Amino acid sequence: MTKIVIIGAGIVGATIAYELSAIAGLEITLIDEKKPGQGATGAALGILMGIISHKTKGRAWKLRQESLKRYETLLPELESLTGLTIPCNRDGIVLLRSSAEDEENWRKLAQIRQEQGYCLEIWDKETLNQKCPQVAGEHLQGAIYSPSDHQINPALLTESLVDAAARRGVKCQFGVKVENFGKTELQGSNLRQCTQVYSSNGIEETDFLILCAGIGATALTETLTHPVEIRPVLGQALQIKLTQPLESSDFKPILTGNDLHILPLAGAEYWIGATVEFMDEKGEIIADTALL
């Protein structure tokens, strides 16, 4: 199989297109009805929480570990290929703790991370005040600091992935809507293989179809007669600009607590968020002002 069509140019589709473009002999087409990274990717905060997560084994941990390793080579690789700069916050994540009861669990995790070759620091209240004087809160017991976890601008990362993939021969079609699929019966079975993609741009022959269209994939899978229901989850966040930065030094980690984040951007700008909001019984998802 040499002809591959990828539908959806968010962070997932763009990454797959780029990684596959390194394999000689493949004909790869990347299709999206919008510009790259305009869907869920454009709304993501881009925080990489691998070391500070409580996953220590199994597939969930291995995926996090491999991702962290790959980013270390991927970012310079993309910047060299494209000439684009991908903003990356390498000051780590500070997780604020309001309870002292869970300290023993964090110490166990810190020991596991040390054995895995990573650092996880347990800060008391005094250390937190010294390292992050911008944080005020008498209720806080301290913090967990993960210097190996980062934040990457997801929209600019996706733009770089698409640019690099195109430079390596991937055919990109944006502003193109997928309308239907052509299927062929597999000999000796009741199964059918997708062999053509019909779009507003014409017909693409394919040996292998990859769907990365987010919630748009539901309608596409129905057309393929293999429906997969993908439900949206809403997240609201704020972007604010202050008259001066919160931090009094060059140390600008991501602050997090209760699943909310304060993320420093350039200058005195910050992202604050995000909420987690699900569909109602009618299948609608409406932003809740009170939660924001």
Side-chain angles (χ1 to χ4, degrees):
M1 292 192 278
T2 60
K3 294 179 181 177
I4 298 173
V5 173
I6 303 166
I7 301 175
I11 187 67
V12 175
T15 302
I16 292 172
Y18 174 70
E19 295 288 8
L20 289 179
S21 70
I23 301 173
L26 296 183
E27 297 177 38
I28 304 163
T29 303
L30 178 63
I31 303 174
D32 200 303
E33 62 179 326
K34 299 178 181 177
K35 292 181 180 178
Q38 296 292 298
T41 295
L45 298 181
I47 300 173
L48 311 179
M49 304 183 81
I51 308 305
I52 208 167
S53 79
H54 285 275
K55 304 293 184 183
T56 58
K57 57 185 178 181
R59 186 170 182 267
W61 161 245
K62 287 178 182 177
L63 286 172
R64 284 169 167 81
Q65 188 178 38
E66 288 304 313
S67 291
L68 288 169
K69 288 179 183 176
R70 180 65 179 116
Y71 274 120
E72 293 305 312
T73 58
L74 179 65
L75 296 186
E77 193 176 292
L78 290 173
E79 290 182 337
S80 175
L81 270 169
T82 66
L84 298 171
T85 300
I86 305 167
C88 178
N89 185 325
R90 295 184 177 276
D91 284 346
I93 294 176
V94 173
L95 189 153
L96 305 174
R97 289 194 306 120
S98 56
S99 170
E101 294 174 2
D102 59 353
E103 186 169 317
E104 183 58 32
N105 289 334
W106 281 111
R107 292 197 179 279
K108 289 178 181 177
L109 181 61
Q111 179 61 39
I112 292 170
R113 292 292 184 246
Q114 186 177 25
E115 292 167 2
Q116 292 172 335
Y118 299 102
C119 175
L120 205 58
E121 299 177 12
I122 299 174
W123 292 354
D124 57 20
K125 186 181 293 189
E126 185 179 344
T127 305
L128 174 61
N129 291 337
Q130 180 186 354
K131 300 278 190 180
C132 301
Q134 73 272 26
V135 175
E138 288 301 315
H139 66 289
L140 293 174
Q141 299 298 313
I144 307 300
Y145 176 54
S146 175
S148 298
D149 286 319
H150 306 316
Q151 183 273 338
I152 300 172
N153 185 299
L156 293 177
L157 174 58
T158 301
E159 182 185 336
S160 298
L161 286 162
V162 170
D163 187 325
R167 290 169 186 265
R168 297 209 299 201
V170 173
K171 185 167 66 174
C172 298
Q173 299 181 11
F174 303 130
V176 172
K177 183 175 177 58
V178 173
E179 297 164 344
N180 210 332
F181 303 94
K183 298 173 277 285
T184 302
E185 294 271 349
L186 288 175
Q187 215 170 12
S189 75
N190 294 322
L191 299 175
R192 290 186 296 171
Q193 180 183 349
C194 177
T195 53
Q196 293 173 316
V197 176
Y198 302 118
S199 74
S200 56
N201 199 47
I203 301 174
E204 286 291 333
E205 302 289 335
T206 184
D207 299 317
F208 202 88
L209 176 66
I210 302 173
L211 291 181
C212 306
I215 57 173
T218 297
L220 293 172
T221 57
E222 286 173 352
T223 306
L224 287 164
T225 64
H226 287 279
V228 176
E229 185 181 3
I230 300 177
R231 300 182 180 185
V233 177
L234 180 72
Q236 298 184 78
L238 295 170
Q239 181 165 341
I240 64 170
K241 185 172 184 178
L242 307 179
T243 54
Q244 61 184 30
L246 290 171
E247 302 84 3
S248 56
S249 69
D250 290 333
F251 181 56
K252 297 185 176 184
I254 295 126
L255 299 175
T256 185
N258 296 322
D259 290 326
L260 293 171
H261 315 291
I262 300 178
L263 199 159
L265 303 173
E269 293 193 32
Y270 296 84
W271 282 340
I272 303 176
T275 62
V276 179
E277 303 174 50
F278 299 95
M279 293 192 300
D280 60 22
E281 61 278 359
K282 296 178 182 177
E284 296 178 342
I285 185 161
I286 301 169
D288 188 331
T289 306
L291 284 175
L292 182 63

